[in-house]
Amino acid sequence: MTDHAAIDVPFSFRHQCWFCAEPSKQSLNFPLHEDEIALCEHIPLQLPCCPECLSIAKQHKWSTTHFDMFRSKLKKALALRYKKHLDIGNNWTKEELEQSEFNGKAFEGFKKSAWMMFEIAQGRMEFQGWPIIVNGLEISAFTQPSFSFDGEEFPHLEAAVQEYAKRFQINPAYLSAVVDKIGSTRFSAAIRHCRIHPLDEPEDLALLVSLVN
């Protein structure tokens, strides 16, 4: 069994989840599975984690080779879970909520708590953790070779996904899902598929990914 190195935790972040800043009562070992360690771009890490983020991580079988990629996927899952709370900030401003004319006890309760729920959810989404350092050394000291594609070097696969999604105006979640399915060695094929079958609606993602062979 491979040991996962516990990351250094600054005093100001003690007892906080590295992913969302909620109170951390447990740790998440990345990679989660023994058979993924050989593909990981850095040494196995032990990250402070709250029960909810740990639960989400264990529910999904994400194929990721870098903690940045894993964090990105976990954040997306967290955002989906708290979509109603996050939508509050998209639909109202704080002042609009305070001045709204909701009637009834239930609506009054919503009026008082809605903005606070939005701010909590938004804070969790915006939190970016702290630099990954193990025994005083930054993670770059332990990082394996970067991802290469078409003569370009990227710090990791997720960086390449974000860059090529931007270049070809592809939904990054769509490109990431296709790469997960067919593997990073077929990165060119993943880009080609996403360009041939553009994602018009978020609901189409699962269907279009299923068309990849």
Side-chain angles (χ1 to χ4, degrees):
M1 188 72 179
T2 302
D3 290 332
H4 288 69
I7 68 170
D8 297 352
V9 180
F11 185 79
S12 58
F13 292 111
R14 66 194 186 285
H15 310 309
Q16 282 188 276
C17 175
W18 184 79
F19 297 98
C20 74
E22 283 290 290
S24 62
K25 298 179 181 180
Q26 298 165 288
S27 295
L28 181 146
N29 288 337
F30 179 81
L32 272 70
H33 307 290
E34 188 79 14
D35 58 357
E36 297 174 339
I37 290 176
L39 301 174
C40 190
E41 299 175 42
H42 50 72
I43 61 170
L45 298 170
Q46 186 180 92
L47 304 165
C49 189
C50 69
E52 185 171 25
C53 286
L54 184 61
S55 174
I56 291 173
K58 290 183 176 180
Q59 287 174 17
H60 297 80
K61 295 205 70 172
W62 294 313
S63 177
T64 56
T65 60
H66 195 282
F67 67 85
D68 273 344
M69 299 162 57
F70 184 84
R71 173 171 55 186
S72 176
K73 292 180 183 296
L74 195 150
K75 288 280 193 180
K76 290 173 186 175
L78 199 62
L80 184 62
R81 178 172 293 193
Y82 287 96
K83 184 177 185 301
K84 290 182 179 179
H85 292 172
L86 293 168
D87 281 347
I88 292 169
N90 295 327
N91 297 326
W92 290 287
T93 65
K94 185 177 182 180
E95 290 72 24
E96 287 172 340
L97 270 177
E98 291 174 345
Q99 298 168 11
S100 62
E101 298 180 354
F102 291 125
N103 296 316
K105 188 175 182 180
F107 286 116
E108 281 297 322
F110 171 77
K111 181 177 176 180
K112 291 179 179 179
S113 63
W115 194 256
M116 179 185 69
M117 293 189 297
F118 162 69
E119 289 185 321
I120 291 173
Q122 183 187 48
R124 295 181 72 183
M125 294 307 304
E126 293 181 348
F127 185 71
Q128 293 300 311
W130 53 89
I132 298 293
I133 297 175
V134 177
N135 294 327
L137 294 175
E138 292 189 16
I139 190 63
S140 58
F142 305 101
T143 301
Q144 296 177 9
S146 59
F147 179 75
S148 301
F149 177 72
D150 200 24
E152 293 185 75
E153 292 286 333
F154 298 91
H156 45 74
L157 178 59
E158 182 68 15
V161 167
Q162 294 296 325
E163 174 61 28
Y164 276 88
K166 181 179 179 180
R167 288 185 192 180
F168 294 112
Q169 297 184 321
I170 301 170
N171 184 306
Y174 180 26
L175 179 56
S176 180
V178 174
V179 172
D180 280 351
K181 181 176 181 183
I182 66 177
S184 60
T185 57
R186 299 185 62 198
F187 192 71
S188 179
I191 295 172
R192 184 166 60 252
H193 171 84
C194 292
R195 296 184 70 188
I196 294 173
H197 305 284
L199 178 67
D200 296 318
E201 298 293 337
E203 293 77 10
D204 297 336
L205 193 151
L207 174 61
L208 292 174
V209 171
S210 70
L211 298 176
V212 186
N213 52 38

